[in-house]
Amino acid sequence: MDTILEVRNLKKYFKTPQGDLHAVDDVSFSIMRGKTLGVVGESGCGKSTLGNLIIGLLTPTSGEIFFEGREISKVQGEERRNLFKKIQMIFQDPFSSLNPRMYVEQLIAEPLKNFRVCKNKKELEQRVTELMEFAGIPQRLRYSYPHELDGGRRQRIGIARALALDPTFVVCDEPVSALDVSIQAQILNLMMDAQEEKGLTFMFISHDLSVVKHISSDIVVMYLGQIVERASPKKLFKDPLHPYTKGLLAAIPVPSAERKKRSILRGELTSPINPGKKCRFANRCIYAEERCRCEEPVLREIMPEHYVSCHRAEEINSIPSQAEATESNR
Ligand code: SF4
């Protein structure tokens, strides 16, 4: 299996009157072809900015994004157009992302027309029919407008549009957060079917860990523009290592009988404007010490394929540090 997307030291700062807002700050990761990377964090953690950088809606302040081995900022003209055919996006709010003056057939045909994919009208209509069938949209809704449909059907149109150009990589930005719980499951199942059938790779952005758990091969947790933890869903849910991830997991509602001692997130958020060289979670962390307020932690592998950015991760989780492990092996 090869790496389809690699992000190296990616930064996106926005100028504000108060200073630079560090929306994405030195983020690096890669995604293997056919897998799903879940990206979770609270509103404002930079996860949607990250998605917009990858699909080319925003230009990075610095850093590199490699797609299928090519640095995307260096690809220009017709080649760039072809490259971005392979990278598509499913948006959070299907209602605001669909043109209210277009009916279903026109909405699904739009990307096909823009990229002149079909040779003639008949082929275009046939392709729209196939996409509607795949996305589970009944043909009788072909001439319906978005306001005549429920949220689930509108999101099915969003998925049909995203798949119209046969992409290999899809950024899914909170695709189910605006939907009822029962509809969420249907849309997630549709996305997993699409992944299996078409060999798609997903970057699945969500504020809800329980949603990404079911669809992801690997999860990264973001906090104020940085990755603070990366692991498989199994490891992350069983043994979260970062105090922030522990807080996010504790915030997932569970029946009272299963409720354990919870580490609820409290305290003031650090400003994302010129945050300085320190742990950005320090204001909310019950384990914070002096070092946390003057030295920025780096993401490191402290258990096999489990990465965390915290000075005190070993201590907090009773894991022997590298020096202790070497000493006990002597
Ligand atoms: Fe908490 Fe310090 Fe770890 Fe940051 S580095 S998460 S403040 S213990």
Side-chain angles (χ1 to χ4, degrees):
M1 205 182 303
D2 60 335
T3 300
I4 189 166
L5 184 95
E6 187 181 353
V7 168
R8 289 188 200 157
N9 307 107
L10 193 65
K11 294 183 182 177
K12 180 64 189 176
Y13 296 171
F14 294 101
K15 295 267 176 229
T16 74
Q18 291 78 32
D20 284 350
L21 188 151
H22 295 216
V24 172
D25 207 357
D26 208 4
V27 163
S28 300
F29 62 87
S30 57
I31 310 180
M32 304 302 279
R33 192 181 293 277
K35 299 289 183 186
T36 298
L37 180 74
V39 180
V40 282
E42 294 165 305
S43 297
C45 73
K47 54 193 191 307
S48 293
T49 304
L50 182 60
N52 288 333
L53 288 165
I54 289 170
I55 64 162
L57 286 179
L58 290 172
T59 308
T61 303
S62 66
E64 296 162 310
I65 303 168
F66 292 85
F67 180 72
E68 296 183 334
R70 307 194 62 192
E71 216 275 89
I72 60 175
S73 71
K74 299 205 165 71
V75 183
Q76 299 299 332
E78 190 61 22
E79 260 191 291
R80 187 174 172 84
R81 202 172 137 82
N82 285 333
L83 185 141
F84 279 105
K85 252 170 85 176
K86 295 186 182 178
I87 307 176
Q88 293 294 311
M89 190 155 189
I90 300 171
F91 294 92
Q92 174 179 4
D93 182 356
F95 197 53
S96 60
S97 64
L98 299 175
N99 185 337
R101 292 188 191 86
M102 286 183 169
Y103 49 82
V104 173
E105 183 189 75
Q106 291 173 317
L107 287 164
I108 299 176
E110 193 184 25
L112 297 164
K113 281 182 174 172
N114 287 346
F115 281 85
R116 297 192 184 91
V117 172
C118 301
K119 288 199 270 310
N120 51 44
K121 196 166 173 245
K122 195 170 167 224
E123 194 179 312
L124 182 70
E125 284 173 1
Q126 180 57 32
R127 183 79 183 116
V128 171
T129 303
E130 285 166 15
L131 285 161
M132 285 180 71
E133 276 170 14
F134 185 83
I137 308 163
Q139 295 299 324
R140 66 184 156 79
L141 300 178
R142 203 169 176 110
Y143 302 103
S144 302
Y145 288 89
H147 73 271
E148 298 175 302
L149 306 173
D150 59 42
R153 287 206 168 113
R154 288 198 287 258
Q155 194 53 295
R156 286 176 189 274
I157 298 172
I159 292 172
R161 279 167 61 88
L163 300 183
L165 300 171
D166 281 328
T168 50
F169 185 81
V170 182
V171 176
C172 316
D173 188 5
E174 302 264 15
V176 295
S177 60
L179 306 176
D180 292 344
V181 177
S182 59
I183 309 290
Q184 282 187 5
Q186 292 173 18
I187 296 296
L188 287 175
N189 286 337
L190 171 62
M191 292 174 67
M192 287 193 275
D193 289 346
Q195 179 169 45
E196 200 177 314
E197 193 168 311
K198 298 172 188 294
L200 297 170
T201 308
F202 287 143
M203 186 170 112
F204 194 101
I205 297 167
S206 177
H207 65 279
D208 186 344
L209 258 171
S210 54
V211 169
V212 290
K213 180 184 181 184
H214 297 291
I215 198 164
S216 307
S217 337
D218 236 4
I219 296 176
V220 297
V221 179
M222 284 189 73
Y223 189 77
L224 285 184
Q226 297 181 320
I227 293 176
V228 295
E229 187 158 0
R230 176 173 184 157
S232 67
K234 197 172 162 196
K235 286 179 184 167
L236 200 79
F237 274 73
K238 187 164 172 279
D239 292 313
L241 301 180
H242 195 282
Y244 175 61
T245 314
K246 291 175 194 279
L248 277 185
L249 284 168
I252 297 174
V254 290
S256 58
E258 291 174 28
R259 220 169 277 154
K260 295 180 189 159
K261 190 173 172 237
R262 297 183 144 215
S263 104
I264 302 298
L265 291 169
R266 293 192 178 89
E268 285 288 309
L269 253 77
T270 299
S271 169
I273 297 171
N274 297 332
K277 293 284 172 205
K278 62 180 180 188
C279 173
R280 292 178 192 184
F281 190 60
N283 286 357
R284 301 170 82 186
C285 182
I286 54 170
Y287 305 103
E289 57 181 17
E290 199 41 45
R291 183 184 176 195
C292 307
R293 301 185 201 285
C294 57
E295 193 182 321
E296 196 169 32
V298 291
L299 195 68
R300 58 205 169 89
E301 188 175 17
I302 70 163
M303 287 171 72
E305 300 194 2
H306 197 153
Y307 301 80
V308 65
S309 164
C310 170
H311 295 309
R312 303 186 66 194
E314 288 90 344
E315 211 181 316
I316 292 167
N317 298 290
S318 308
I319 299 167
S321 65
Q322 267 191 342
E324 287 165 341
T326 316
E327 186 62 32
S328 68
N329 285 341
R330 276 195 186 142

